[in-house]
Amino acid sequence: MKSIQSSHGAARRITAIGVLAAAALASATAVAADGATVTRGDLSAFATSSDPNIDGRAQMVRTGDGKTIVTVHVTGLLPETTYGSHVHQQACSNNSAGGHYKHDPAGAPYPPNELWPAFTTNEAGIGNGRAVAEWTAGPNAVSVVVHAPGGAKIACADLE
Ligand SMILES: [Cu+2]
């Protein structure tokens, strides 16, 4: 995760909109004027996925006031079905994203110590999940995995 904090000094005299535009151009990881940091990525099916048509995106916002908000938007799934989703701690191509990201590594393996943007799809197989934590996710919070109802990992987005 890169910070563009160092560029803010030079940008201080231009407008807030200008700062945001400069941040977006400077880095995929933008630090907005309100101190939020955004990472995001497109979802792709794992090679072993039972839902090869899955598509969508995931986003993580680390807010300036110390919260973390994760959203996931997914298409190509079964209608009216509940899917699990979690923030994971390895890249999608690294051990299929590894295990769940935990705020306290020695803490409980579920919220509020983890981020679970689970969702239920609509009749068109589209789902939207959201999870909010009262802490700032650390640098290992690098991917979002979508799981089939049985638990298998079916899709993943790298947050960059
Ligand atoms: Cu998971």
Side-chain angles (χ1 to χ4, degrees), residues 47-153:
T48 54
S49 179
S50 56
D51 296 71
N53 296 322
I54 196 168
D55 201 359
R57 58 187 181 272
Q59 175 173 279
M60 174 177 286
V61 178
R62 293 168 172 90
T63 69
D65 61 352
K67 294 182 169 63
T68 303
I69 303 167
V70 178
T71 50
V72 61
H73 172 77
V74 195
T75 64
L77 297 172
L78 297 171
E80 296 171 347
T81 301
T82 298
Y83 288 82
S85 181
H86 319 108
V87 174
H88 278 240
Q89 59 182 353
Q90 291 179 246
C92 298
S93 62
N94 183 6
N95 190 28
S96 300
H100 297 174
Y101 173 76
K102 290 178 171 59
H103 177 56
D104 173 0
Y110 43 78
N113 195 42
E114 297 186 354
L115 282 156
W116 291 16
F119 56 87
T120 300
T121 56
N122 65 11
E123 61 282 351
I126 298 169
N128 290 288
R130 187 173 189 270
V132 181
E134 301 295 320
W135 34 260
T136 301
N140 300 335
V142 294
S143 59
V144 174
V145 171
V146 175
H147 293 261
K153 293 173 176 173

Side-chain angles (χ1 to χ4, degrees), residues 2 4 7 18-30:
K2 281 178 284 186
I4 54 107
S7 70
V19 171
L20 287 171
L25 289 171
S27 168
T29 303

Side-chain angles (χ1 to χ4, degrees), residues 4-25:
I4 54 107
Q5 213 74 45
S6 58
S7 70
H8 277 179
R12 194 164 287 146
R13 279 184 220 92
I14 63 177
T15 66
I17 289 171
V19 171
L20 287 171
L25 289 171

